[in-house]
Amino acid sequence: MKFKNGISFIIACSMLLLFTACSNTKYLAEGQSLYVGSDVEIEDSVLTKKERKSMESELESALRPKPNKTFLGLRIKLWIHNVVGEPKSNKGLKYWMQDKFGEPPVLGSDFNVEYNNEIIENYLGNEGFLHASSIGEEEIKKKKKKAYFKVKTDKQSIINDVEFTVYDTLQLSKHIKNTRENTLLKEGDAYNLNTIKKERERISETLKTFGYYYFSPNHILVRADTSVGTYKMDLKVDLKLGEMPKEAMYQYKMNEILVFPNYQLQGNRGRRPSRYADTLSHDSGFKIIDPSHSFKSAVFYQAMQFKPGEYYDKRKQNISLNRLISLGTFKFVKNEFSIVEDIDEHLLDVHYLLTPAPKKAFNIELGGFGNDGNRLGSRASITWRNRNLLKGAELFTVKVSGGLEKQYGGELKRPDQYNVGVELGLNIPKFLVPFIPIKASGMFIPRTLIHVNYDMNLRKDYSITNVYTANFGYNWKEDAAKEHKLFPINVSLVHTDTFNKNPDFEVNLSNLFYNGIIIGPTYEYTYNSQLKRTQKHNFYFNGRADLSGNIIGLSQRANFENNPKKFLGMDFAQYVKLQADFRYYLHFTKESVLAARAFGGWGISYGNSSQLPNIKQFYVGGSNSLRGFQSRLVGPGSYHEVSQTGGQTFIEMLGDIRLEANLEWRMQLYKFLKGALFVDAGNIWLQRPNSKFPGGEITKDFYKEIAVNAGLGARLDFSILILRLDFGFPIRQPWLPEGDRWTYKYIDFRDSEWRRSNLIFNIAIGYPF
């Protein structure tokens, strides 16, 4: 059989796969059936139609066992299991195929209707439908068994009254009642077992901030009295006094706080130095057992939250542990609490057992990448780290990196690029402010950052740019989701040399030429709700402000047109650059996500500068931006050098303003293989008109100059690495005449000329946003 085109081949393969997948029942023995799932229908309910559909779906998910997994309606894993057959041993090809890709059949005999009736009624009872009933029936056709359940929920029972039991001789019960104003059990709400579980956890967590170290949610009992009326109940929060250990009834104060910074793990027990060997006491009340004197006490001052004589508080315990872990100096961190015996008071000793990570580490990284425009590249870096340089848990890093990017084909030629960088960094785990000692609050250790960088970028035969950077600043977190970075001192010296040695390729480098100094503060704020927990709606925001030369330029009354000024004998940049990156993630299911991004950046140059320095300007296109356009070759505005000049005049296109929006639907295809459909839109613009880039400046009609592309991609998700393959193509080209800019009507994947001119292939690591 011959196939005239790829579509016929795909249809034929799909029919073959459907035929083979449907034949799974032929492998069943006589009298056996294959369980293919259940339908649940709620017949009468006070629920709305949307709530009823959601409840039916939840009930179907609760039934056991689950049927064999399907993909596009086909039980492929079961088919593989049947075709491969049972392996004779736990090794070999058959065993590997069954273990990795196969799935044994879920037989109809494995499914019990009465048992699942109980599951449905118990589930609904936990949701407050105490009078619910379920009747299930089975149906077997062509060796396939399916179950149908008719469910009657009746009304939900409502909480009539909530009472907290108090015992006169037990202080614990009074503390529990004092938490009532924050209770999750509200009169008039529907009864729900999950709410009761959360209430028990809430009470326990609150008590642990009052010194009740040994208390747990299991010590709380919530009694329900349904005799108060139809569909009503009274709840009584009580203690399981007969089951509680005596330790759970007492508040404990902190006694001795010891830190062992060189604790060594040995077997099931660890080895720690003698608790009195070389003890160093700190004014805050903790002691350090460190015979080797490898750490300063100030390291632990930032982390230790407890003080002798105060009540145990779980929040302080969590802060201490989190701060010790976030130091990055210790491989393992744990604490041990123990009761102080033979005294009248209820006291706890705590030992912090810290196993140091190797002080010095050497790391080599190698990588390769593919880019649009028929370009390939490689990167390599060598990093040396010292995790405790000055005995204060300072992280000192020396990194040397290099890379190259070469073009192996394509019509638009760009020069080969080579990059070399050297970076020295010092990360100090505290706020380093002259003459002002600061102990920050919160779960995370604040950081003082000092960086010195050198970066060289060579465009073969055309230019070489040297950038020297030094900065000093701070990095701190409010919580797991909110992070701040402030660099009050930020200095960059840029020097560019141009040389055109290629007579066959004359290129204008004026837009990449900048010699001068960039000096000014930067501030960055990041919010990421996914760092707290993944939920149905997640958000990410990054905002950044970058300033340069503002005080210097204003004091000198600098003007780039008639009064240009210098600082330390060099030109200096004067601008305000603001940018914001907002992302939204809608999780339909765990593996089906709609991701959206909106990015806006605006650079306002004035005084001593007519535009942003090229290393600070924006660009679009490429694997993480407009994926249907080549990187750095879109815009500015309606300008397009190839269509307007007949060839390539500039190596890359940059702008002072950038607007971009992206939409991507991500779904799982099979295990580690994930797919995506995406649409990208955006462009860059210049702040001021430039005769070299007609149509490049921002105007009120900027929205008419938006470039748009669509595409699809595959992601190979190996947990520690995500390899991304994206195919994009333009559907709106802003350089075309108005009225002709939408080009989706010309899409023709069968046309090799169209593919060569429009289809962009990107290889990248990780998600684009």
Side-chain angles (χ1 to χ4, degrees):
M1 179 182 294
K2 294 183 179 180
F3 301 101
K4 294 183 179 180
N5 55 53
I7 296 177
S8 300
F9 179 73
I10 293 173
I11 294 174
C13 289
S14 301
M15 293 179 64
L16 178 62
L17 184 61
L18 179 63
F19 173 76
T20 53
C22 289
S23 63
N24 281 315
T25 54
K26 75 178 184 179
Y27 295 94
L28 298 173
E30 187 66 29
Q32 287 184 331
S33 61
L34 182 69
Y35 172 60
V36 295
S38 299
D39 285 340
V40 176
E41 180 184 354
I42 298 177
E43 294 185 322
D44 68 317
S45 176
V46 294
L47 301 174
T48 64
K49 182 178 180 180
K50 183 177 180 180
E51 291 172 336
R52 187 168 67 251
K53 291 297 182 183
S54 175
M55 181 70 73
E56 288 172 347
S57 178
E58 291 174 7
L59 290 173
E60 289 170 3
S61 298
L63 301 177
R64 292 295 182 270
K66 290 181 173 292
N68 290 104
K69 295 178 181 178
T70 62
F71 174 69
L72 298 178
L74 308 177
R75 295 177 177 82
I76 298 175
K77 298 184 73 173
L78 174 59
W79 178 74
I80 293 173
H81 171 88
N82 290 330
V83 171
V84 172
E86 291 294 335
K88 295 181 180 179
S89 62
N90 292 340
K91 57 183 179 180
L93 179 61
K94 275 191 174 184
Y95 176 77
W96 180 81
M97 289 288 292
Q98 290 285 32
D99 183 60
K100 296 296 182 182
F101 305 106
E103 184 180 72
V106 179
L107 300 177
S109 57
D110 297 331
F111 188 85
N112 184 284
V113 171
E114 293 304 320
Y115 171 75
N116 282 283
N117 278 330
E118 294 179 7
I119 288 179
I120 291 174
E121 292 173 2
N122 288 336
Y123 184 96
L124 291 172
N126 293 337
E127 296 291 321
F129 298 98
L130 303 183
H131 306 283
S133 62
S134 172
I135 299 176
E137 296 181 351
E138 299 175 341
E139 181 181 75
I140 300 177
K141 289 183 179 180
K142 297 181 180 180
K143 292 190 174 182
K144 293 181 181 179
K145 179 178 180 179
K146 189 167 185 176
Y148 300 89
F149 292 88
K150 301 291 185 180
V151 176
K152 294 182 179 180
T153 60
D154 207 347
K155 295 181 180 180
Q156 276 182 297
S157 294
I158 303 301
I159 299 174
N160 181 63
D161 183 57
V162 180
E163 178 185 351
F164 284 72
T165 303
V166 176
Y167 299 91
D168 293 337
T169 59
L170 189 60
Q171 187 70 21
L172 169 63
S173 64
K174 297 177 182 178
H175 280 144
I176 292 176
K177 185 175 182 180
N178 289 340
T179 73
R180 176 168 182 166
E181 63 180 16
N182 296 319
T183 183
L184 303 177
L185 305 176
K186 309 289 186 181
E187 288 87 350
D189 284 358
Y191 169 84
N192 188 287
L193 182 62
N194 286 330
T195 303
I196 290 178
K197 291 179 179 179
K198 291 177 181 178
E199 172 70 1
R200 295 169 66 197
E201 292 170 358
R202 182 197 66 82
I203 293 172
S204 177
E205 290 298 305
T206 303
L207 292 176
K208 286 183 181 294
T209 64
F210 296 150
Y212 291 95
Y213 175 76
Y214 291 98
F215 194 85
S216 82
N218 293 329
H219 299 148
I220 298 173
L221 175 66
V222 179
R223 306 177 190 274
D225 181 3
T226 58
S227 63
V228 295
T230 306
Y231 307 117
K232 291 183 179 181
M233 63 173 62
D234 289 344
L235 299 181
K236 187 174 184 180
V237 181
D238 206 343
L239 289 167
K240 299 180 182 179
L241 295 178
E243 303 177 20
M244 288 176 58
K246 63 178 183 179
E247 292 84 3
M249 301 181 183
Y250 304 134
Q251 290 175 281
Y252 286 87
K253 291 182 178 180
M254 302 309 303
N255 183 49
E256 192 172 50
I257 303 164
L258 296 181
V259 180
F260 295 85
N262 284 289
Y263 177 76
Q264 299 299 321
L265 295 173
Q266 290 186 344
N268 294 327
R269 298 177 63 86
R271 179 174 61 83
R272 71 191 83 177
S274 169
R275 61 188 296 177
Y276 300 109
D278 295 294
T279 302
L280 178 63
S281 299
H282 194 275
D283 294 341
S284 296
F286 63 88
K287 299 176 182 179
I288 305 169
I289 314 299
D290 185 14
S292 61
H293 303 286
S294 53
F295 291 94
K296 297 176 182 177
S297 61
V299 175
F300 307 105
Y301 168 71
Q302 291 287 329
M304 293 298 104
Q305 303 296 311
F306 289 129
K307 291 183 179 180
E310 68 180 17
Y311 281 115
Y312 165 83
D313 186 334
K314 187 178 179 180
R315 292 174 300 186
K316 292 184 176 182
Q317 176 193 356
N318 290 339
I319 291 173
S320 295
L321 288 176
N322 199 77
R323 287 185 162 220
L324 288 169
I325 292 170
S326 64
L327 279 172
T329 307
F330 300 103
K331 188 176 182 180
F332 302 108
V333 174
K334 69 174 183 176
N335 57 352
E336 291 181 353
F337 287 85
S338 58
I339 296 175
V340 180
E341 302 289 351
D342 302 324
I343 58 173
D344 295 332
E345 290 188 277
H346 301 294
L347 299 177
L348 288 174
D349 286 341
V350 58
H351 294 179
Y352 290 93
L353 310 177
L354 315 177
T355 303
K359 181 179 179 180
K360 299 177 182 179
F362 189 76
N363 186 46
I364 299 177
E365 293 183 359
L366 300 173
F369 63 93
N371 206 338
D372 50 70
N374 300 295
R375 299 178 69 84
L376 292 175
S378 63
R379 296 188 182 98
S381 66
I382 301 174
T383 306
W384 180 81
R385 295 183 179 90
N386 186 319
R387 289 187 174 90
N388 191 28
L389 180 68
L390 303 174
K391 297 187 177 182
E394 303 91 351
L395 175 62
F396 178 67
T397 305
V398 178
K399 182 177 181 180
V400 179
S401 59
L404 61 89
E405 184 177 318
K406 297 179 69 68
Q407 186 165 335
Y408 61 89
E411 293 182 351
L412 293 178
K413 301 292 185 181
R414 283 185 285 175
D416 299 340
Q417 294 194 49
Y418 303 87
N419 178 269
V420 175
V422 179
E423 177 182 348
L424 280 70
L426 183 61
N427 188 318
I428 304 170
K430 62 179 179 180
F431 280 127
L432 191 62
V433 181
F435 313 112
I436 304 177
I438 299 177
K439 184 177 183 180
S441 60
M443 294 290 289
F444 299 89
I445 292 274
R447 303 279 180 171
T448 298
L449 306 176
I450 303 172
H451 292 147
V452 178
N453 302 341
Y454 165 71
D455 187 78
M456 183 275 290
N457 192 336
L458 171 65
R459 294 178 175 87
K460 186 179 179 182
D461 297 334
Y462 296 102
S463 70
I464 181 171
T465 301
N466 297 281
V467 182
Y468 307 84
T469 304
N471 52 50
F472 174 93
Y474 308 100
N475 176 206
W476 71 97
K477 284 188 171 186
E478 293 183 47
D479 55 35
K482 302 172 184 177
E483 182 176 8
H484 303 261
K485 290 182 181 179
L486 172 64
F487 285 90
I489 300 175
N490 214 334
V491 182
S492 296
L493 175 61
V494 184
H495 181 76
T496 304
D497 288 323
T498 62
F499 37 89
N500 195 334
K501 298 180 180 180
N502 190 340
D504 299 325
F505 184 32
E506 296 293 333
V507 172
N508 190 325
L509 300 172
S510 61
N511 70 323
L512 300 180
F513 185 85
Y514 177 78
N515 281 332
I517 189 171
I518 303 171
I519 180 169
T522 63
Y523 170 73
E524 184 175 347
Y525 172 76
T526 303
Y527 173 80
N528 188 352
S529 67
Q530 294 185 102
L531 295 178
K532 285 187 173 181
R533 63 185 182 277
T534 299
Q535 45 198 352
K536 183 173 183 179
H537 304 279
N538 278 283
F539 302 91
Y540 171 93
F541 173 80
N542 175 267
R544 179 180 172 87
D546 182 355
L547 313 178
S548 176
N550 297 284
I551 296 177
I552 300 171
L554 292 173
S555 64
Q556 295 184 347
R557 298 183 179 180
N559 186 288
F560 68 90
E561 290 182 320
N562 50 41
N563 190 29
K565 296 293 184 177
K566 294 184 180 293
F567 178 70
L568 300 177
M570 294 176 287
D571 294 331
F572 66 89
Q574 189 174 0
Y575 63 81
V576 175
K577 179 185 175 184
L578 304 174
Q579 65 184 57
D581 183 351
F582 177 77
R583 306 173 190 180
Y584 169 66
Y585 303 91
L586 173 60
H587 292 257
F588 298 111
T589 65
K590 184 179 179 181
E591 301 296 346
S592 179
V593 181
L594 183 66
R597 174 175 66 176
F599 181 95
W602 196 296
I604 305 172
S605 58
Y606 66 102
N608 215 45
S609 297
S610 62
Q611 64 179 32
L612 295 180
N614 64 292
I615 65 171
K616 294 290 185 176
Q617 286 184 299
F618 300 105
Y619 64 89
V620 290
S623 60
N624 293 318
S625 181
L626 305 185
R627 286 164 280 181
F629 297 88
Q630 294 190 26
S631 177
R632 300 174 182 253
L633 293 180
V634 181
S638 60
Y639 178 78
H640 186 243
E641 57 178 347
V642 175
S643 62
Q644 297 185 37
T645 67
Q648 185 174 3
T649 307
F650 294 91
I651 292 176
E652 59 185 61
M653 308 308 300
L654 304 172
D656 304 310
I657 301 156
R658 175 187 167 193
L659 295 175
E660 185 176 332
N662 315 85
L663 187 66
E664 180 171 287
W665 177 35
R666 301 166 183 169
M667 76 293 289
Q668 185 173 27
L669 300 178
Y670 181 74
K671 285 191 174 179
F672 60 84
L673 178 60
K674 298 181 179 180
L677 300 174
F678 58 82
V679 177
D680 307 312
N683 206 339
I684 56 172
W685 291 267
L686 299 175
Q687 177 188 351
R688 296 181 175 90
N690 189 322
S691 59
K692 296 176 184 177
F693 307 101
E697 72 276 10
I698 189 78
T699 69
K700 61 181 178 61
D701 294 325
F702 72 92
Y703 61 92
K704 298 180 180 179
E705 299 167 348
I706 297 293
V708 184
N709 69 254
L712 54 87
R715 288 88 171 91
L716 304 179
D717 188 348
F718 303 111
S719 297
I720 61 172
L721 173 70
I722 297 176
L723 179 63
R724 176 161 55 90
L725 312 174
D726 283 332
F727 290 90
F729 49 91
I731 58 175
R732 192 175 196 275
Q733 298 174 335
W735 54 85
L736 297 177
E738 284 194 53
D740 296 329
R741 292 176 176 175
W742 287 105
T743 59
Y744 56 84
K745 56 187 175 183
Y746 303 116
I747 294 174
D748 188 356
F749 291 101
R750 297 172 297 178
D751 185 351
S752 61
E753 179 63 26
W754 181 91
R755 295 197 304 268
R756 185 179 63 82
S757 301
N758 293 276
L759 198 59
I760 299 294
F761 175 55
N762 295 286
I763 302 176
I765 302 297
Y767 288 107
F769 57 91

